[in-house]
Amino acid sequence: MEKYVERGEVPGLVAVVSRGGETHVEAMGALAFGGAPVRGDSVFRISSMTKPITAVATMILVEECKLRLDDAVDAWLPELAARRVLRAIDAPIEDTVPAERAITVRDLLTFRLGYGMVMAMPGTYPIQRAAAALGLDSGPPAPATVPPGDEWLAKLSTLPLMYQPGDRWLYNMGSELLSILIERAAGQAFPAFLRARIFEPLGMKDTGFFVPEAQIDRLATSYRPQPDGSLAIYDESRGGQWSRPPAFASGAAGLVSTADDYLAFARMLLAGGTLEGRRILSRPSVELMTTDHLTPAQKARSGFTPEDFAASGFGFGVSVVTRRDHAYAPIGQYGWDGGLGSVWRNDPREDMITLLFTQRMWSSPQPPPVCRDFWTLAYQAIDD
């Protein structure tokens, strides 16, 4: 890992391997090029590693019977009732047919609601251009540019679905909608619900949707790769987009966290929903979350690439390995990644957690070499 820092491919990183109750942490490099050193308690933007936390929050409400997995979301999200669906992905947005069924809570958790990222260049299809005109186009997390949740949902509701509910897996939008669903079903602001039901019980004191001024010097600067291979600043720490509360606390990619905090969350899931006597979820709910819910037909027409689901599936906010193609990816392993530079995996068979936090944005949907090398190094160290 030090070689990646020495070559300047990442300014710094925190790597965690925890197995059988023994935890090894490495912090190296700097929070920004030429800046203060990275420490174990440095704060990183975890982007899409927010999604598993949002899924846990949803399952808390399911366990309390405030939500039901196969109920329509219309009662809580009436803006999504009576949806229209594009006749084809390249059709004009007025060329629609009625939705064959309502969107359910399960659809949001598994990203099968019928709307999400299209794997085509921006502006390729009319639906992409219409979404961009409303400020709803896909891109790296940018909380300062997103309106309040109700306003955001009102804009989204003017667009048709891309596909019929349940037809395929489409990335991201399900978790954003869950943010609003949880808020309305719980009768409590989404950040407050996460704080009370997940973060405080697990001791995740540095996880939230922004970094307070008193702690801002612990936040790593975010970098974006350039075509020439250099890194340009994407988001500063002081005065950046995560230095103040967002108008819309996104359950898809809005959180910042530390390695210690996310390790507590990962340990809770690996232990079947509890951590040091504090129960967040039941073991059956964790098992349901970490089970592959995609059918072969859905996998065949989904994913970032044609082979995306060849060896994996998707549960509730997490990817699940279904075929072992690498030593570091055993069947049953689950987790998710953050496109601003972080990865997490839980391996129930090995009783093992791997976490890597960097501040380098990914340049493709696939994990970069620093992540793959980290996993390889972690698994080759197993000696029993």
Side-chain angles (χ1 to χ4, degrees), residues 52-65:
I53 293 175
T54 300
V56 167
T58 306
M59 290 305 297
I60 290 172
L61 294 177
V62 169
E63 290 196 334
E64 294 176 350
C65 298

Side-chain angles (χ1 to χ4, degrees), residues 171-243:
Y171 191 53
N172 200 64
M173 188 63 72
S175 293
E176 291 186 300
L177 290 167
L178 285 172
S179 317
I180 304 170
L181 177 72
I182 291 166
E183 194 160 279
R184 294 179 181 180
Q188 186 178 23
F190 184 52
F193 183 85
L194 294 184
R195 177 69 48 198
R197 304 303 299 274
I198 299 175
F199 300 158
E200 289 183 355
L202 295 179
M204 298 171 67
K205 62 183 185 300
D206 292 313
T207 303
F209 290 96
F210 73 103
V211 181
E213 172 61 27
Q215 304 296 328
I216 200 68
D217 290 339
R218 293 167 54 201
L219 176 63
T221 297
S222 179
Y223 290 88
R224 186 173 194 165
Q226 301 301 295
D228 64 0
S230 65
L231 295 179
I233 292 176
Y234 174 68
D235 190 63
E236 298 271 13
S237 51
R238 190 172 300 278
Q241 296 195 74
W242 279 266
S243 66

Side-chain angles (χ1 to χ4, degrees), residues 110-112 119 168-171 292-315 318-323 325 336 366:
T110 56
F111 298 171
R112 294 181 294 187
M119 292 301 108
R168 66 188 65 201
W169 182 94
L170 292 168
Y171 191 53
D292 178 17
H293 289 266
L294 301 185
T295 68
Q298 289 164 346
K299 291 179 181 182
R301 50 180 176 259
S302 302
F304 297 115
T305 68
E307 294 298 312
D308 222 25
F309 289 113
S312 68
F314 199 76
V318 296
S319 176
V320 184
V321 177
T322 57
R323 185 184 76 202
D325 283 352
W336 199 239
Q366 303 306 315

Side-chain angles (χ1 to χ4, degrees), residues 14-39:
V14 179
V16 179
V17 179
S18 182
R19 182 170 183 255
E22 180 181 347
T23 300
H24 184 79
V25 181
E26 291 281 357
M28 59 189 72
L31 293 171
F33 286 118
V38 169
R39 305 185 313 184

Side-chain angles (χ1 to χ4, degrees), residues 42-311:
S42 293
V43 180
F44 292 81
R45 299 159 192 78
I46 62 170
S47 51
S48 289
M49 279 171 56
T50 302
K51 292 175 171 68
I53 293 175
T54 300
V56 167
T58 306
M59 290 305 297
I60 290 172
L61 294 177
V62 169
E63 290 196 334
E64 294 176 350
C65 298
K66 293 177 180 176
L67 294 172
R68 297 180 185 88
L69 289 175
D70 296 310
D71 279 2
V73 300
D74 298 5
W76 304 113
L77 304 175
E79 297 93 335
L80 298 182
R83 290 284 81 198
R84 304 286 297 182
V85 183
L86 287 175
R87 192 178 300 275
I89 190 62
D90 57 354
I93 62 169
E94 301 83 10
D95 186 7
T96 62
V97 297
E100 295 171 357
R101 64 168 177 81
I103 297 168
T104 67
V105 176
R106 190 188 299 268
D107 289 331
L108 300 187
L109 285 163
T110 56
F111 298 171
R112 294 181 294 187
L113 66 151
Y115 196 97
M117 284 189 184
V118 178
M119 292 301 108
M121 290 295 293
T124 300
Y125 301 127
I127 186 67
Q128 292 174 288
R129 297 192 289 272
L134 294 172
L136 301 174
D137 50 328
S138 301
T145 68
V146 184
D150 290 348
E151 181 182 337
W152 176 89
L153 180 54
K155 289 182 177 183
L156 178 66
S157 69
T158 66
L159 298 175
L161 297 179
M162 297 172 172
Y163 298 97
Q164 289 288 344
D167 180 77
R168 66 188 65 201
W169 182 94
L170 292 168
Y171 191 53
N172 200 64
M173 188 63 72
S175 293
E176 291 186 300
L177 290 167
L178 285 172
S179 317
I180 304 170
L181 177 72
I182 291 166
E183 194 160 279
R184 294 179 181 180
Q188 186 178 23
F190 184 52
F193 183 85
L194 294 184
R195 177 69 48 198
R197 304 303 299 274
I198 299 175
F199 300 158
E200 289 183 355
L202 295 179
M204 298 171 67
K205 62 183 185 300
D206 292 313
T207 303
F209 290 96
F210 73 103
V211 181
E213 172 61 27
Q215 304 296 328
I216 200 68
D217 290 339
R218 293 167 54 201
L219 176 63
T221 297
S222 179
Y223 290 88
R224 186 173 194 165
Q226 301 301 295
D228 64 0
S230 65
L231 295 179
I233 292 176
Y234 174 68
D235 190 63
E236 298 271 13
S237 51
R238 190 172 300 278
Q241 296 195 74
W242 279 266
S243 66
R244 55 196 180 277
F248 178 21
S250 168
L255 288 173
V256 298
S257 191
T258 64
D260 281 349
D261 276 12
Y262 213 91
L263 178 62
F265 176 76
R267 288 176 59 203
M268 176 273 294
L269 288 176
L270 197 60
T274 66
L275 181 68
E276 297 174 358
R278 296 181 295 275
R279 185 167 81 90
I280 305 299
L281 280 181
S282 68
R283 177 182 49 77
S285 286
V286 173
E287 291 173 353
L288 180 65
M289 268 191 63
T290 57
T291 295
D292 178 17
H293 289 266
L294 301 185
T295 68
Q298 289 164 346
K299 291 179 181 182
R301 50 180 176 259
S302 302
F304 297 115
T305 68
E307 294 298 312
D308 222 25
F309 289 113

